[in-house]
Amino acid sequence: MARTGDEHILVSNYGWYLFHFIPVANGNANENRWLPWVMFRDDVTLDKVQRRFMMHANDIGKPDVRDLSYTTRESVMLEIPGLNLPLPVPYLLTYREIQLSGVAR
């Protein structure tokens, strides 16, 4: 059971890569951003997601975080949007996502 005043935080970032290594379009993880996405820069890293998580916890005045859990998801098969039909062309255009969640006290 959570104590009164605890806050659950979830931070996520995702992006598309060419040949699984060359970043094409990613969510912008910088704190001083003016666009929600970036081109040709890899912002889908655990380090950048953790930095955003801790910045938010400090901003709300609850730097003591607990029960951290992260999830990664990768898809290497090209999918047709809306149909979820994978094409047998692996590693042409791949998708990567990282989520980090925890409780701030």
Side-chain angles (χ1 to χ4, degrees):
M1 178 190 283
R3 297 181 330 188
T4 304
D6 292 354
E7 182 171 331
H8 181 255
I9 301 172
L10 173 67
V11 177
S12 175
N13 201 8
Y14 64 91
W16 293 93
Y17 295 80
L18 186 63
F19 306 117
H20 197 63
F21 294 105
I22 302 168
V24 176
N26 287 278
N28 191 349
N30 285 344
E31 59 272 4
N32 296 324
R33 63 185 183 177
W34 60 278
L35 286 175
W37 45 268
V38 293
M39 303 293 289
F40 310 114
R41 186 178 77 200
D42 191 7
D43 274 13
V44 185
T45 64
L46 188 57
D47 180 52
K48 291 184 179 188
V49 171
Q50 284 176 332
R51 187 174 299 124
R52 292 296 301 230
F53 183 94
M54 292 308 297
M55 282 182 0
H56 179 73
N58 286 328
D59 288 347
I60 63 173
K62 298 179 179 184
D64 181 25
V65 294
R66 307 210 178 184
D67 303 325
L68 293 173
S69 176
Y70 79 96
T71 302
T72 60
R73 181 178 154 225
E74 294 188 17
S75 176
V76 297
M77 298 294 272
L78 185 62
E79 293 183 6
I80 298 173
L83 296 179
N84 290 334
L85 179 65
L87 297 175
V89 185
Y91 296 105
L92 178 64
L93 188 64
T94 63
Y95 175 81
R96 187 179 310 155
E97 180 178 0
I98 295 179
Q99 290 185 349
L100 177 66
S101 68
V103 177
R105 297 180 172 204

